[in-house]
Amino acid sequence: MTDFYLRHGAAGLTVLGVAGEAAKLSMEEALQVVERFVDRARGAPVIAGVSHSSVAQLAALTEQVMAAGATGVMIAPPGGLRTEEEVLGYFAAVFERIGDVPTVLQDFPFSTGVWMSVPTMARLVECHPQIQAIKEEDIPSAAKITRLRAALGRPVAILTGNNGVYLPQELQRGIEGPMSGFSHPEMLSGVHRLFTEGKVQEAHDLFDLYLPLLNFENQSQWGVAVRKEILKRRGAIASAAMRTPGPRLTAQDLQDIDRLLARLQQALAQRS
């Protein structure tokens, strides 16, 4: 899978993220995942998700993944934080424990249940130089990106997830690029490249070809099962099995995938 993503334009990898099955792994398995991706990436940056409600557990995993060769870590606030003071206090405790580890601050309230305001995020960036990038996944993402750019007191890369569904609008607002999963990463890298080259209309046209499939994958853990099935078909992984508890695709689901992939191939053939 590492070879597949790098071959299709990925500049680096994020592992143990939210859009996967990291929550079903033990600490030992999580470390093994990072070690194997770092080894296979052959120098490409690897960011490891280490989010945890326990600062002690987060710090322990951070130390281990950095020792294994990770470039940095990604941290989201744990569920249960309700006030600005609680968010600021949590991250102060985190950075006191992990030191100067390069960090991606993940803002994904749909997953965490924690809504961080723009002033709170700007304060975190001001207080903690370890934060070198923000993964912005709040909705509406484009509007929040614009407000973050205006509020941040120092240059910080802004990357986005949300399965890439809003990528053209986010690129228009000046993000550095996508940090998202998709069974066709060549779309993500291709749209980013075209925007970078100033070919905005062509970027939108390319994105539109993949949008039906992108929307179909954008269905939480069920969508992860869809993505794994497509990655298996494309030769990126050997098995599409989901760890329990997890969804299983039906014959009708597989037919929907067949239809979407066939229509995508037809659209790509017409484009070329």
Side-chain angles (χ1 to χ4, degrees):
M1 188 161 64
T2 297
D3 296 345
F4 175 84
Y5 271 85
L6 295 178
R7 185 169 66 248
H8 286 91
L13 302 170
T14 303
V15 299
L16 306 182
V18 174
E21 299 177 275
K24 301 173 184 178
L25 303 178
S26 68
M27 291 283 284
E28 293 76 14
E29 289 171 326
L31 179 58
Q32 290 170 9
V33 166
V34 174
E35 290 172 340
R36 294 183 69 176
F37 274 103
V38 167
D39 180 64
R40 193 68 181 184
R42 299 185 180 91
V46 176
I47 303 298
V50 297
S51 301
H52 203 287
S53 58
S54 164
V55 174
Q57 295 252 31
L58 183 154
L61 183 56
T62 296
E63 182 179 6
Q64 292 172 329
V65 300
M66 293 303 292
T71 309
V73 298
M74 183 167 67
I75 303 174
L81 304 183
R82 293 290 178 263
T83 67
E84 179 183 70
E85 289 78 8
E86 289 176 340
V87 171
L88 294 173
Y90 172 79
F91 279 102
V94 164
F95 287 116
E96 183 178 0
R97 289 290 297 270
I98 71 172
D100 60 356
V101 173
T103 299
V104 178
L105 174 64
Q106 185 176 21
D107 181 26
F108 193 11
F110 176 78
S111 173
T112 64
V114 179
W115 275 259
M116 294 190 291
S117 69
V118 168
T120 296
M121 294 177 69
R123 179 84 178 276
L124 287 171
V125 169
E126 176 187 357
C127 293
H128 305 292
Q130 299 96 324
I131 299 175
Q132 298 183 10
I134 293 171
K135 185 176 184 184
E136 185 49 63
E137 301 186 85
D138 199 357
I139 302 296
S141 57
K144 194 163 187 178
I145 289 162
T146 296
R147 291 164 54 215
L148 277 170
R149 284 292 188 210
L152 295 176
R154 62 178 172 87
V156 173
I158 298 180
L159 308 168
T160 53
N162 287 320
N163 290 313
V165 174
Y166 313 109
L167 180 58
Q169 292 74 33
E170 293 163 346
L171 285 165
Q172 199 73 50
R173 300 295 180 105
I175 66 166
E176 274 67 24
M179 191 182 198
S180 177
F182 184 40
S183 61
H184 288 68
E186 62 268 34
M187 183 279 283
L188 301 174
S189 60
V191 170
H192 176 258
R193 175 181 53 79
L194 289 168
F195 256 93
T196 302
E197 295 173 353
K199 301 174 182 177
V200 175
Q201 186 59 51
E202 292 181 36
H204 278 277
D205 292 342
L206 178 61
F207 178 82
D208 289 349
L209 297 178
Y210 289 87
L211 186 54
L213 179 60
L214 192 65
N215 280 327
F216 198 65
E217 283 190 24
N218 187 31
Q219 300 189 70
S220 192
Q221 280 291 292
W222 188 86
V224 173
V226 171
R227 182 173 302 158
K228 292 182 75 171
E229 170 64 24
I230 298 173
L231 286 172
K232 184 188 75 170
R233 295 186 185 193
R234 301 193 73 195
I237 56 178
S239 171
M242 294 283 288
R243 284 208 172 200
T244 56
R248 296 192 178 195
L249 301 180
T250 66
Q252 291 89 345
D253 297 331
L254 297 176
Q255 289 173 3
D256 288 336
I257 293 173
D258 293 339
R259 189 175 299 108
L260 283 164
L261 291 177
R263 290 181 61 83
L264 173 60
Q265 291 307 313
Q266 181 181 25
L268 290 171
Q270 293 172 348
R271 178 175 180 265
S272 61

